[in-house]
Amino acid sequence: MKRWSEQGILSGLILLLLTIAIPVQAGGFTPAIGSLAWSPDGQALAFAVRDQGIIVAGLDGEARNISPVVPASWSPVWSPDGKSILMVTEVDNQSVIQKLPVSDNNTQVAEKQWPAGDAAPVGMAPVYSPDGELIAFLAQRETDDYLSLYVMTATGEQQRRLTTVGTVIAPLAWSPDGALIAFTALPDSYQWPGELFVHDLGRNVATQLTTSANIYDAPMWSLDGQKLLFTSGFSTQKRIEVMDWDGTNRRVLWNGGANPLYSPDGQQIIFLAYGGKWPELRIMNADGTDVIAVKLPGEHTFYSPVWSPDGSKIAFAMRRFDEPKSEAVMLVNADGSSPQVLYTVPQG
């Protein structure tokens, strides 16, 4: 039996990376840049950089490192008020959620945020509830057989385990009204396939929505909370699907794609399309029509796309394979125009 204190940091990190790195690793490299997170006001992006920590970059291109590398930091999440960032670090071979206050100029300030200092107990993949009062996260405590869904207050207190359905995989998705949490889990211990679940916080019940679906990444709620957008399948056979939140009316929007995200107004979806040499960034209507591709010069691949809060821009990470070789955080307009480099990580 795996215990968090011994192997949890390793197994948990692998499961987290399944939703970020595998599409690119299949093409031959492990990304240096982790998932991207917009500030609530849309004026900055937070992201993890391997061997650097958590970077906060303003739209003017000014970037600051706000975290120590101890030895790794990942999964930045802004608080709803934009005053702090949750991140996950490795402490004593354990995955620990930490809360970094961020001042107006994106520098760390001296203020303790958690009851026992600046770190919550062992956990990973934190996500705020829509009202900012709760944080859902993953953990494997001494009494847990698998990585499970937990919830705590925004101050890091009243932690409680919610699920016993098998190994839960990050990321997690709160419904717009905060009543439900959608997630992917491996019901058979650590074995695929993954299935889609919804946990009702009021009834404290998790419901399995799919069977033998091979769910690949995190679900996303529609703006009205009535539908779930997700990816099923493996390798280049991934499918972007949508269904009602109770598991009915399931249909395929795109064959050969992954990592779909609704725009803030719910009218469009960004996703990664497969079929060529590298994954391509594309934009389509929410019903799967009018697909356009984001084009950049040179040989490159895309990963970790995310909409700005107002839907006017799309941020994403890019790996460039021709000279000069690099990885970068990029911005484009919502129609894929006007590419801008926000942050660059040189590669050998």
Side-chain angles (χ1 to χ4, degrees):
M1 182 181 298
K2 293 185 178 181
R3 291 301 186 191
W4 189 271
S5 59
E6 297 175 352
Q7 297 181 340
I9 179 68
L10 178 60
S11 61
L13 182 54
I14 289 173
L15 289 169
L16 180 63
L17 290 177
L18 283 171
T19 65
I20 300 173
I22 278 184
V24 189
Q25 285 180 323
F29 80 98
T30 301
I33 299 171
S35 57
L36 312 181
W38 283 92
S39 61
D41 63 5
Q43 297 303 303
L45 278 159
F47 47 91
V49 177
R50 188 174 60 238
D51 299 326
Q52 293 186 29
I54 303 300
I55 305 297
V56 172
L59 297 191
D60 58 1
E62 182 180 355
R64 301 173 185 270
N65 189 324
I66 67 165
S67 69
V69 183
V70 287
S73 304
W74 63 94
S75 297
V77 177
W78 292 84
S79 62
D81 61 9
K83 294 181 179 179
S84 62
I85 289 178
L86 297 179
M87 70 171 187
V88 180
T89 61
E90 183 180 339
V91 178
D92 296 330
N93 200 35
Q94 293 183 331
S95 173
V96 175
I97 300 171
Q98 293 190 324
K99 190 173 187 178
L100 294 176
V102 178
S103 67
D104 291 339
N105 62 351
N106 295 332
T107 58
Q108 184 176 347
V109 296
E111 179 183 353
K112 297 300 182 183
Q113 294 289 313
W114 300 104
D118 62 352
V122 174
M124 64 181 298
V127 184
Y128 279 100
S129 61
D131 62 10
E133 294 184 0
L134 296 174
I135 296 171
F137 64 103
L138 300 183
Q140 185 175 346
R141 304 291 166 79
E142 287 298 323
T143 57
D144 301 343
D145 290 335
Y146 313 114
L147 202 63
S148 300
L149 172 63
Y150 278 74
V151 71
M152 63 182 173
T153 66
T155 57
E157 301 169 294
Q158 301 177 32
Q159 300 181 37
R160 58 190 176 97
R161 183 186 183 190
L162 298 182
T163 62
T164 56
V165 297
T167 301
V168 181
I169 300 171
L172 310 168
W174 288 87
S175 62
D177 63 3
L180 306 170
I181 302 174
F183 60 92
T184 301
L186 311 182
D188 183 17
S189 182
Y190 290 91
Q191 304 299 314
W192 293 96
E195 304 295 349
L196 197 60
F197 289 77
V198 167
H199 186 90
D200 185 319
L201 275 78
R203 296 189 300 124
N204 196 30
V205 173
T207 302
Q208 184 173 336
L209 302 182
T210 62
T211 302
S212 300
N214 289 330
I215 302 300
Y216 169 75
D217 59 13
M220 182 180 184
W221 293 88
S222 60
L223 189 63
D224 61 6
Q226 297 302 303
K227 297 182 183 300
L228 285 167
L229 182 68
F230 60 97
T231 305
S232 63
F234 290 98
S235 188
T236 58
Q237 303 303 311
K238 300 180 185 74
R239 300 176 301 276
I240 295 175
E241 300 191 48
V242 66
M243 67 181 180
D244 292 349
W245 73 271
D246 61 0
T248 61
N249 298 322
R250 180 176 168 183
R251 64 189 180 94
V252 176
L253 293 178
W254 184 269
N255 282 299
N259 303 102
L261 290 175
Y262 281 116
S263 59
D265 64 5
Q267 299 302 304
Q268 293 181 294
I269 295 171
I270 52 175
F271 65 101
L272 298 179
Y274 296 86
K277 185 176 181 180
W278 305 104
E280 298 178 354
L281 179 59
R282 296 190 182 179
I283 308 165
M284 65 180 173
N285 290 337
D287 62 1
T289 61
D290 295 339
V291 181
I292 62 173
V294 175
K295 298 293 187 180
L296 295 175
E299 184 180 0
H300 53 266
T301 188
F302 301 91
Y303 58 102
S304 300
V306 61
W307 293 94
S308 64
D310 64 1
S312 66
K313 293 184 179 296
I314 300 168
F316 57 91
M318 180 195 72
R319 171 75 178 233
R320 182 170 179 171
F321 296 101
D322 52 358
E323 298 299 335
K325 294 180 180 180
S326 63
E327 288 184 53
V329 175
M330 303 281 297
L331 296 177
V332 293
N333 291 332
D335 60 0
S337 64
S338 303
Q340 171 190 349
V341 178
L342 196 64
Y343 189 85
T344 301
V345 182
Q347 301 295 318

